[in-house]
Amino acid sequence: MSGSARRTANPAGHLRASARSDVPAFIVMDVMEAAARLEARGQRVIHMEVGQPAAAAPAPAIVAAQAALVSGRIGYTVALGNVSLRRRIARHYAERYGTDIDPARIVVTTGSSAGFMLAFLTLFEPGDRIAIASPGYPPYRNILTALGCEAAPVEVTASTRFAMTPEAVLAAHRERPLRGVLAASPANPTGTMMTAEALAALARTAEDLGIAFISDEIYHGLDYTFPAETALNLSADAIVINSFSKYFCMTGWRIGWMVVPEALVRPIERLQQNFAISVPTLSQVAAEAAFDGRDEMEAVKRGYEVNRRILTEGLPGAGFGRFLPADGAFYLYVDVSRFCDDSIDFARRMLEEAGVAATPGVDFDPVHGRHYIRFCYAGAEAEVREAVERVTAWLK
Ligand SMILES: Cc1ncc(COP(=O)(O)O)c(C=O)c1O
């Protein structure tokens, strides 16, 4: 496009982005970009920054998607998602958690990311306050901000296994009334999990306060010390958000689901009809078949367990004294305060000097995150071993 054409499109240069679009960047993406620049110069980088599995989607998912492509037409589906996929997800709840879920309460979404938008829009008005754990997954607060809501960060510490407690939520509610609580177990970035009792107590607190309880269960299936319980077994009002991205290694397929109380189904359906029409059909077909690839995914999970052991046994030798109990997901949140006061600088130097990319904690916790970095161990075992060796040599 020529310069004059550009000027014509915006003659007075008066277009401004809205204030609500002014949300912070995802720092992990900046680390990825810095890593890509080094790689372009020929340096090899071990990627432990992005939270995504190195493994491919389960073979049955790929075969089903190929067959659907060959069959020709990929049209819209109904807004709530293919009935057969919603039934298959309901069966998953029966098999995995022993719970009976009406498929009519299941909504297929474009990754769990779209599930958050739909849930927040359906549950909250602008100005509403929602409690989230800090450290926590940054898009929770950034999506809430963009929708005109307020994220109320609840600081979590080792004394509660880095999970929100009823007391902390009640204290936040006393400061200014909350309209919702969002919990994740296993959590990102900490990898820590809540026991079923702790999750139940939080859900009960939300019920008592008459506010929404949202449970992000995206890392279910990736639990190493005790099985994760679904909030659906703990509260009839819980809103559960899940995804095929992590356990099923389908990040790029952009497919997830929600389980919501019956009263919310129609409002969510109307939003989805207008926002997206429907979720990508090819991904829905693949997701349904993904459930037949569980054996394959269990093997991938065993690989994460090996990687987890390599890190938890190897990092102390590098001088990292403290990290959070890695109960689940594929993250280790490591205290680097012994080495520096600025995790962005630490991550930058570790990338440039040791060739290992990790995410600075400030992405997840603007206050204490400068003392932490997050390693993702969803990659190949050999690379995780090499990363420990490189970081150990670098810190010597
Ligand atoms: C805790 C948590 N929730 C939700 C998501 C969003 O995942 P997706 O939109 O791929 O389902 C992520 C991605 O890293 C995450 O870590």
Side-chain angles (χ1 to χ4, degrees), residues 34-54:
R37 278 198 300 275
L38 289 178
E39 285 170 322
R41 296 210 304 263
Q43 186 171 331
R44 202 174 128 250
V45 172
I46 298 179
H47 288 273
M48 300 182 79
E49 76 280 37
V50 188
Q52 72 171 336

Side-chain angles (χ1 to χ4, degrees), residues 23-355:
V23 296
F26 211 175
I27 296 173
V28 64
M29 309 310 280
D30 294 342
V31 177
M32 271 173 81
E33 205 169 302
R37 278 198 300 275
L38 289 178
E39 285 170 322
R41 296 210 304 263
Q43 186 171 331
R44 202 174 128 250
V45 172
I46 298 179
H47 288 273
M48 300 182 79
E49 76 280 37
V50 188
Q52 72 171 336
I62 295 171
V63 169
Q66 282 168 334
L69 267 183
V70 169
S71 80
R73 185 165 178 277
I74 304 289
Y76 294 131
T77 71
V78 293
L80 292 173
N82 272 336
V83 173
S84 57
L85 172 56
R86 294 163 72 207
R87 284 204 188 115
R88 186 63 192 85
I89 293 170
R91 201 175 112 202
H92 165 71
Y93 281 98
E95 290 168 356
R96 165 89 169 72
Y97 305 97
T99 189
D100 203 15
I101 300 290
D102 182 351
R105 291 177 50 206
I106 295 171
V107 181
V108 179
T109 58
T110 308
S112 67
S113 301
F116 293 115
M117 271 190 316
L118 292 168
F120 297 165
L121 274 166
T122 311
L123 293 165
F124 307 127
E125 303 292 349
D128 281 354
R129 240 162 84 80
I130 293 88
I132 54 168
S134 184
Y137 179 58
Y140 298 151
R141 59 174 192 269
N142 296 339
I143 298 172
L144 284 168
T145 305
L147 295 179
C149 300
E150 185 192 335
V154 173
E155 208 174 284
V156 294
T157 62
S159 64
T160 61
R161 286 186 81 78
F162 294 89
M164 279 186 286
T165 58
E167 295 73 32
V169 167
L170 289 170
H173 188 71
R174 275 194 300 275
E175 262 172 40
R176 219 140 42 76
L178 296 166
R179 289 301 312 156
V181 180
L182 193 173
S185 171
N188 177 8
T190 56
T192 51
M193 282 174 62
M194 299 172 79
T195 61
E197 293 72 34
L199 195 64
L202 208 55
R204 232 178 1 256
T205 305
E207 271 176 20
D208 293 347
L209 293 174
I211 64 177
F213 183 66
I214 305 172
S215 178
D216 179 358
E217 302 188 351
I218 186 170
Y219 291 104
H220 274 214
L222 301 176
D223 39 27
Y224 312 112
T225 48
F226 56 91
E229 178 60 291
T230 176
L232 297 171
N233 276 345
L234 307 172
S235 164
D237 294 334
I239 289 110
V240 163
I241 297 185
N242 208 322
S243 174
F244 289 89
S245 287
K246 310 294 174 165
Y247 177 80
F248 288 105
C249 302
M250 294 176 71
T251 45
W253 296 76
R254 309 306 305 125
I255 181 132
W257 75 88
M258 315 163 75
V259 185
V260 301
E262 207 185 316
L264 298 187
V265 173
R266 181 62 181 154
I268 291 177
E269 181 179 29
R270 288 194 304 258
L271 286 173
Q272 180 119 288
Q273 287 169 343
N274 284 283
F275 280 9
I277 300 183
S278 64
V279 168
T281 304
L282 200 56
S283 298
Q284 293 193 51
V285 170
E288 189 175 332
F291 286 106
D292 297 332
R294 289 193 72 97
D295 289 349
E296 215 182 307
M297 295 299 104
E298 284 299 308
V300 172
K301 175 181 172 180
R302 285 194 289 279
Y304 300 152
E305 292 194 69
V306 172
N307 291 348
R308 170 177 171 269
R309 207 172 46 243
I310 294 168
L311 283 184
T312 53
E313 290 175 2
L315 288 181
F320 294 106
R322 289 184 300 178
F323 35 81
L324 273 43
D327 301 321
F330 32 54
Y331 305 115
L332 204 61
Y333 200 53
V334 180
D335 185 337
V336 293
S337 58
R338 226 192 104 191
F339 303 105
C340 73
D341 208 27
D342 174 1
S343 56
I344 293 188
D345 182 57
F346 186 87
R348 183 188 55 74
R349 286 188 293 114
M350 190 169 75
L351 173 61
E352 287 173 2
E353 296 163 20

